[in-house]
Amino acid sequence: MEIFGSTFDDSVFSEARERVCESLSSYNAKLCEPQWFCESAALDTDDSLEKQKVFKFRGDLALRQGNYQRALDAYSSCLQWIADNNLTIRRDVLEGMARCRTKLGQREQALELAELLNKEASNTCHLTSLLLLKVSIYQHFGCVGPQRSCLQQLCSLLPFNPWHWFNLGQTCLQLLDCDSDMERSSEAVNGESEEDQEGAAELTEDRVWLRACMCFIRTRLLLRILRQQQSSFVLQRSVKTLQITEEALQRLNPKEATLQALTEVMSEDLIPEKMREDYQDGESLTSVSLQSFRERWWSNVLLAGASQINGPQAKP
């Protein structure tokens, strides 16, 4: 009687077929001089792909050099030669144009380009890049309210990224530095409305203070987990950010009960398995169910108990 799994198929021991090596035609690599695309002769071609490359490279170089008008002109020319199915290059060029418009002080035009990118976004990578672009636009023009809204969306989309939480906390500190509640309210009304449509009452000093505490506590929790796997300059960056985070929390000065309550709420989902698998880059937006910042984080904080979550303790 044969033991199950003790026999082998004869094909396992048969000799491998001899591979036929076909002769390959010789290949001569194209050699290009540095910044060859800047020469006028580079456009002496009928190939639309080559023209696209030339204008794209010119735009990238000008943007890097800080010549934003020249970069914008090059990107605009490049856009005319991009094939309809080449969405990757199209998105890259549109983002470059938006950044040029921002540097040139053209806020509305930059936001219009961002809206084009928004309509074409199809996965989490697209949405992440778009939100980061909008953050840079609003930050450049000092629009703290809309900037905060975009950062909150980033924290909901990528909840285990400490840098988004840190930047959101810094933005809340900026709001706390505003002269009055009216100024904070106008930031939200005049800027881009949030998904959860927060009213002016939500932007009182106590609420903004509480959100700042939430963000820095979340940042501290995430960085403490991640630094165990880091080294070199990456670890140095995390350690430096942790130090800034601790200083921010000292400035906010929450009571011990508040600190414990917020730490418990903001650490509920920090499970290693979930941190590895949830919200993978490139996932289709149709399969991503995003909760608003208020629904996912703010409501949980309020449920933790108003008696425990109070303003800063009095300093001696």
Side-chain angles (χ1 to χ4, degrees), residues 68-69 72-73 97-113 137 140-141:
Y68 303 114
Q69 185 58 59
L72 180 61
D73 294 340
M97 293 174 66
R99 295 189 182 280
C100 291
R101 295 284 189 186
T102 301
K103 294 294 186 179
L104 293 171
Q106 302 169 3
R107 173 184 168 182
E108 296 306 320
Q109 293 89 332
L111 290 175
E112 287 175 2
L113 289 167
I137 294 173
H140 180 82
F141 291 102

Side-chain angles (χ1 to χ4, degrees), residues 206 209 251-255 310-314:
D206 288 344
W209 172 87
R251 171 188 168 184
L252 294 166
N253 198 28
K255 294 180 179 179
N310 302 307
Q313 58 187 348

Side-chain angles (χ1 to χ4, degrees), residues 72-109:
L72 180 61
D73 294 340
Y75 284 140
S76 299
S77 298
C78 177
L79 205 58
Q80 303 174 19
W81 298 101
I82 299 177
D84 294 337
N85 61 347
N86 196 343
L87 298 181
T88 301
I89 295 297
R90 174 179 165 80
R91 293 187 65 85
D92 195 19
V93 170
L94 287 174
E95 181 176 338
M97 293 174 66
R99 295 189 182 280
C100 291
R101 295 284 189 186
T102 301
K103 294 294 186 179
L104 293 171
Q106 302 169 3
R107 173 184 168 182
E108 296 306 320
Q109 293 89 332

Side-chain angles (χ1 to χ4, degrees), residues 108-128:
E108 296 306 320
Q109 293 89 332
L111 290 175
E112 287 175 2
L113 289 167
E115 183 58 29
L116 284 178
L117 289 169
N118 183 41
K119 292 178 180 179
E120 298 177 0
S122 59
N123 56 49
T124 54
C125 289
H126 290 170
L127 183 56
T128 301

Side-chain angles (χ1 to χ4, degrees), residues 27-283:
Y27 171 73
N28 296 322
K30 181 180 179 181
L31 300 178
C32 299
E33 296 295 329
Q35 299 186 15
W36 60 271
F37 47 86
C38 294
E39 300 176 3
S40 57
L43 291 174
D44 294 340
T45 176
D46 295 328
D47 190 340
S48 59
L49 180 59
E50 284 298 315
K51 290 186 177 182
Q52 170 205 296
K53 291 179 181 179
V54 169
F55 286 121
K56 176 67 165 56
F57 293 157
R58 287 181 180 181
D60 291 343
L61 179 62
L63 181 62
R64 184 175 182 179
Q65 292 175 340
N67 194 328
Y68 303 114
Q69 185 58 59
R70 188 170 65 186
L72 180 61
D73 294 340
Y75 284 140
S76 299
S77 298
C78 177
L79 205 58
Q80 303 174 19
W81 298 101
I82 299 177
D84 294 337
N85 61 347
N86 196 343
L87 298 181
T88 301
I89 295 297
R90 174 179 165 80
R91 293 187 65 85
D92 195 19
V93 170
L94 287 174
E95 181 176 338
M97 293 174 66
R99 295 189 182 280
C100 291
R101 295 284 189 186
T102 301
K103 294 294 186 179
L104 293 171
Q106 302 169 3
R107 173 184 168 182
E108 296 306 320
Q109 293 89 332
L111 290 175
E112 287 175 2
L113 289 167
E115 183 58 29
L116 284 178
L117 289 169
N118 183 41
K119 292 178 180 179
E120 298 177 0
S122 59
N123 56 49
T124 54
C125 289
H126 290 170
L127 183 56
T128 301
S129 298
L130 171 64
L131 289 171
L132 289 172
L133 171 63
K134 293 171 77 172
V135 166
S136 67
I137 294 173
Y138 290 129
Q139 185 177 30
H140 180 82
F141 291 102
C143 303
V144 184
Q147 179 185 343
R148 179 177 62 95
S149 176
C150 292
L151 285 169
Q152 288 183 172
Q153 293 178 61
L154 280 168
C155 289
S156 296
L157 181 66
L158 302 170
F160 306 122
N161 186 310
W163 311 111
H164 299 328
W165 287 98
F166 177 75
N167 290 332
L168 179 55
Q170 295 282 49
T171 304
C172 289
L173 286 182
Q174 287 182 262
L175 283 173
L176 286 174
D177 291 335
C178 290
D179 294 334
S180 63
D181 289 345
M182 182 63 68
E183 189 170 344
R184 282 189 290 273
S185 300
S186 65
E187 284 284 359
V189 174
N190 296 332
E192 180 181 278
S193 59
E194 293 187 70
E195 179 184 354
D196 54 3
Q197 293 295 314
E198 287 184 315
E202 292 287 337
L203 289 173
T204 61
E205 184 176 356
D206 288 344
R207 298 262 173 152
V208 176
W209 172 87
L210 184 54
R211 291 207 176 189
C213 292
M214 288 170 51
C215 294
F216 286 119
I217 288 173
R218 178 77 171 185
T219 300
R220 182 169 66 180
L221 289 167
L222 288 169
L223 286 178
R224 285 178 175 176
I225 293 173
L226 293 176
R227 71 175 181 178
Q228 299 174 6
Q229 310 166 13
Q230 296 173 337
S231 60
S232 186
F233 65 92
V234 179
L235 178 60
Q236 293 176 9
R237 183 191 179 193
S238 294
V239 170
K240 182 178 179 180
T241 306
L242 264 174
Q243 182 181 353
I244 298 173
T245 299
E246 295 292 352
E247 293 173 355
L249 284 172
Q250 289 179 9
R251 171 188 168 184
L252 294 166
N253 198 28
K255 294 180 179 179
E256 187 61 31
T258 301
L259 195 61
Q260 291 179 1
L262 288 176
T263 300
E264 182 177 348
V265 171
M266 303 308 289
S267 61
E268 286 179 349
D269 64 332
L270 298 186
I271 304 169
E273 291 76 14
K274 190 170 185 179
M275 293 177 69
R276 284 197 300 268
E277 297 175 2
D278 277 14
Y279 301 96
Q280 296 296 319
D281 287 342
E283 188 174 357

